[in-house]
Amino acid sequence: MSKSKRERTDYPGVYGTPHPTRKHGIRADLYIEITYRLDGKKKWEGLGWTSQNMTPLKASKILHDLKEAHRTGKGLRTVAEQREVAAAEAKEREVAKQQAERDATTFQEFWTDCYLPLQGEKSARSRATEASLWKLWIAPQLAEISLLKLVPFHLEKVKQEMIRAGKSPKTIKYAMGVVSQVWGLALRDGYVSAPFPGLQVKLPQKDNQRQRFLTPAEAMLLLKVLAERSPTSHDMAVISLFSGMRFGEIASLEWQDIDFPDGRILIRDTKTSQNRYVFLTSEITKVLRNRHSGQRSGLIFTSRTGGKVDRISKAYSRTADDLFNEGVADSRQRVCFHTLRHTYASWLVQKGVDLYSVKELMGHADFKMTTRYSHLAPEGLRRKAKVLEGSLEEKAEVWTGVLKGSC
């Protein structure tokens, strides 16, 4: 505002500039300013309007405090500095308030507000499984516990309840994995800072590795029935059986991933987060050629709505049950889609393929996952073990000759 419009007030160093139109009560609204000398120079600072609860008396007190700071060398010397400090303090209070709210966040609140909204990329089946585990086992024990107060004891309660209900070690491990994912997100976003308490909870162990794989005759029968019931399921099964690809990897395949001239398929965004190649066999090539009509892009397999196939078809599950699963209670012995991947690896080992090559073809992140197939090559192992046969006899003959020569 123009200096010419400033008017002195009853307080030294305090001025008011009337607003040309706006009233405060029956008088014009005044913009209050103070003036003082700072480092030998005259300085003006605006404090606010009387309609904003600023008065000449308040301004006079502020001016007095500033002059006292100038005289003693203690305290803030300008209104601008005071405002900066006030803003910083307000920000600190807001940060402290937000942190206090985070510290009080319960597992239920974080699950609903932070975790669930980020799970859209998971398959519908995975989301349904997590929702069921949350409702039945996790929420009853953890929902009202604040994240900061979560300790191994709470997770032990989840585990014990699931054990009492007869849940399998695999299901219990899955539930703990969900809690671990929630904790990881909370750790990333600053709600917690400690390692996951579940690391101190010993989970029940059971060998859940699938033992069942198909013989060539069984595989032929399965493919024959699938071809009649569901051509799409048949084609996906052929690809898995002759490449070891997981269902999700096959469902994600696009035409640009297929290199017919080079005989390779690029698998992107795998379970181990590493791209890899598998190789076209005549069986896979035939399936893909039959489905190919010149496309250069787009999904190879699509759902009825044209989107990505997000679950194993009922036709496949019914066929596997009809042919192989009647009366089979042990999940390790039941035939499912993953049995095709297991069959691929088993056949490779039976044909004499070394385990390292099997690991690379399967895309295993850990060699331990591959060694489970070593028992399928007993003859090869037996032959390798026998290379030492007769070693002691050979040594005995050598030593006998040495002793005779020394006599």
Side-chain angles (χ1 to χ4, degrees), residues 224-269:
K224 179 178 182 297
V225 178
L226 284 176
E228 298 169 354
R229 295 183 176 182
S230 173
T232 296
S233 297
H234 166 272
D235 291 354
M236 297 181 82
V238 168
I239 294 175
S240 182
L241 187 62
F242 288 96
S243 71
M245 291 176 64
R246 302 175 178 90
F247 174 81
E249 294 170 344
I250 298 172
S252 298
L253 279 180
E254 299 184 14
W255 285 113
Q256 59 262 36
D257 301 326
I258 312 300
D259 187 343
F260 284 113
D262 202 32
R264 298 193 304 179
I265 300 175
L266 172 62
I267 307 177
R268 295 174 287 112
D269 303 324

Side-chain angles (χ1 to χ4, degrees), residues 95-128:
V95 170
K97 178 183 176 183
Q98 291 177 357
Q99 189 58 52
E101 291 175 350
R102 287 190 169 202
D103 291 349
T105 299
T106 65
F107 217 94
Q108 172 75 67
E109 291 168 339
F110 190 85
W111 172 273
T112 304
D113 300 336
C114 303
Y115 181 74
L116 285 184
L118 299 180
Q119 305 311 302
E121 293 184 357
K122 292 183 178 178
S123 68
R125 184 176 182 180
S126 294
R127 295 197 302 271

